[in-house]
Amino acid sequence: MKKRYLFLSLMLSLSMILAACGGSDSGESQKDCEPDENAIKAGIVTDEGGVDDKSFNQSAWEGLQAYGEEYCLEKGEHFDYAQSNQDSEYESNITRLTQQDYELIFGIGYKLLDALETVAAQNPDSKYALVDDVAEGDNIASVTFKEHQGSFLVGVAAALKTETDKVGFVGGMDSPLINKFEVGFEAGVKSVDPTIEVDIRYAETFSDAGKGRQIANSMYNSDVDVIYHAAGGAGNGVFTEAKDIKGNNPDQSVWVIGVDRDQYEEGQVDDHNVTLTSMVKRVDVAVQDVIERTMSGDFPGGEVIEYGLSDNGISIADTNEDAYTDEIASTVDEWKEKIENGDVSVPSNHDELDEYLNNLQ
């Protein structure tokens, strides 16, 4: 497979305005404009979390909606999603969109790898994209991210924020992808203070919020005061538990670090907000970018596109100004510069983490 790393400007991808729908000078609303004749029919197939998981799938759906808005397209006619409630639905959902003449179909999440490769092989004239894994096939674009880099930076923030010297990580499925979040986070924490304890647990689900809440309850009761989750919908349970604790005891210090989207709003409880920061993974930008490239005749079939810190495909949210202090922001920026300059190589798996931690001693 041919591999290419794409470094795009976030501002370029986010500059999708309503030019195709008529400018403000004409006073024309989107519903009155005509679909752009160059637009393609694009769809996404979610994993089990669904488009309202407040995380990964939702970000992808927001990217597709932004595409539809710019080009004055109608949901269900020019763009749409197929929600998968269980693994067995992946292949049938991809097949259905293919049969409905979608010109570009995204599989959202590494769990769709086998299903996407199967359907793509059966439909060589159709175009597909897999988010979060590398697929084989000339008609499949593989979209990946440097999650370990962003996770390292929120690890730095967690180390600076903890008052108990105990932080936690809650993952969804124990897999090479989620391991990137885990090891990057631990490397960031230990880079600030090697004595801080990192409690690592997996929910083994991306959809069971109750399981996420159960793990968070156990962690917070064990003096963990900052939890970073990479658990999709299960991570919503982490927020629920933190907000319940904060609502009952406003003086208690409990924090959550969100993932994929800026999850500041998920942390609001009364006059407080338990979201320290979020590791923002711009799946929305990636979806828009691949669609734009396909529209221009440059579909990256058979290629691996990787988004990281240097192209703003990965970023750190600073929305909670009261919690994410100037001191934390400044220190995080210093580590970000070290990563981008190549002075720090962030580990992405357990073997690399062991070597990294040994070098800290």
Side-chain angles (χ1 to χ4, degrees):
M1 171 177 289
K2 197 166 62 171
K3 184 172 183 178
R4 180 170 71 187
Y5 297 109
L6 175 66
F7 298 103
L8 87 160
S9 164
L10 177 63
M11 293 306 297
L12 178 61
S13 294
L14 293 179
S15 64
M16 304 171 91
I17 56 176
L18 300 178
C21 300
S24 59
D25 291 342
S26 65
E28 197 174 38
S29 65
Q30 183 187 338
K31 67 179 181 179
D32 297 325
C33 65
E34 294 295 327
D36 192 301
E37 61 181 13
N38 294 317
I40 62 172
K41 191 174 182 180
I44 65 172
V45 176
T46 76
D47 71 4
E48 65 185 54
V51 296
D52 57 353
D53 64 354
K54 302 177 182 178
S55 185
F56 182 71
N57 290 285
Q58 185 168 334
S59 179
W61 175 232
E62 288 170 350
L64 191 59
Q65 288 178 301
Y67 160 69
E69 180 179 2
E70 180 185 0
Y71 292 101
C72 307
L73 309 178
E74 292 291 330
K75 177 182 178 296
E77 182 176 351
H78 302 102
F79 71 97
D80 210 342
Y81 69 89
Q83 182 155 315
S84 305
N85 297 312
Q86 52 190 0
D87 294 1
S88 61
E89 296 178 356
Y90 297 152
E91 186 171 331
S92 60
N93 279 335
I94 298 169
T95 298
R96 176 167 59 83
L97 292 186
T98 301
Q99 293 174 342
Q100 292 175 350
D101 297 324
Y102 279 79
E103 298 167 76
L104 176 61
I105 300 168
F106 291 84
I108 308 302
Y110 71 91
K111 296 180 72 177
L112 282 80
L113 172 63
D114 292 342
L116 196 72
E117 286 185 339
T118 297
V119 178
Q122 297 168 349
N123 299 274
D125 294 330
S126 297
K127 297 180 177 65
Y128 303 88
L130 179 66
V131 177
D132 264 358
D133 208 342
V134 177
E136 296 293 334
D138 292 338
N139 59 337
I140 307 176
S142 298
V143 178
T144 63
F145 295 83
K146 296 180 181 179
E147 297 94 348
H148 51 299
Q149 292 184 340
S151 297
F152 182 100
L153 296 182
V154 297
V156 170
L160 295 171
K161 195 67 178 179
T162 181
E163 299 174 3
T164 63
D165 287 341
K166 295 182 69 174
V167 301
F169 172 82
V170 178
M173 301 296 293
D174 190 347
S175 62
L177 172 65
I178 305 303
N179 290 166
K180 290 171 68 178
F181 294 82
E182 172 204 326
V183 302
F185 177 68
E186 184 170 357
V189 171
K190 298 290 189 178
S191 293
V192 174
D193 185 349
T195 68
I196 294 176
E197 180 182 339
V198 183
D199 187 352
I200 297 168
R201 308 190 201 182
Y202 281 85
E204 296 303 336
T205 174
F206 287 112
S207 59
D208 188 346
K211 187 63 178 295
R213 181 172 186 176
Q214 179 183 4
I215 295 173
N217 175 271
S218 176
M219 285 187 173
Y220 287 130
N221 284 333
S222 300
D223 291 330
V224 167
D225 57 355
V226 183
I227 297 177
Y228 173 39
H229 90 86
N236 294 335
V238 178
F239 278 102
T240 299
E241 181 62 21
K243 289 191 291 185
D244 185 62
I245 293 172
K246 195 69 174 180
N248 290 321
N249 187 0
D251 293 329
Q252 185 171 345
S253 179
V254 290
W255 300 103
V256 183
I257 297 175
V259 75
D260 295 335
R261 302 169 70 248
D262 181 354
Q263 295 192 304
Y264 175 79
E265 293 183 358
E266 308 312 316
Q268 193 66 45
V269 51
D270 299 327
D271 295 328
H272 307 279
N273 194 298
V274 299
T275 304
L276 172 60
T277 181
S278 299
M279 199 286 285
V280 182
K281 178 175 168 181
R282 299 309 303 264
V283 182
D284 55 340
V285 170
V287 166
Q288 294 173 67
D289 182 53
V290 174
I291 292 175
E292 289 281 347
R293 294 181 61 179
T294 304
M295 288 174 57
S296 66
D298 188 29
F299 171 67
E303 299 181 21
V304 177
I305 308 171
E306 186 173 56
Y307 301 84
L309 287 174
S310 61
D311 48 34
N312 293 312
I314 295 290
S315 61
I316 308 302
D318 58 1
T319 315
N320 193 345
E321 297 178 354
D322 293 331
Y324 192 78
T325 64
D326 290 341
E327 179 185 359
I328 293 176
S330 176
T331 304
V332 167
D333 285 343
E334 290 174 4
W335 282 101
K336 179 176 183 287
E337 185 176 352
K338 292 178 183 179
I339 294 171
E340 292 181 326
N341 290 341
D343 296 330
V344 172
S345 179
V346 181
S348 61
N349 57 55
H350 289 112
D351 288 340
E352 292 176 358
L353 175 63
D354 289 342
E355 181 179 356
Y356 183 89
L357 295 181
N358 286 334
N359 289 334
L360 290 178
Q361 298 176 358

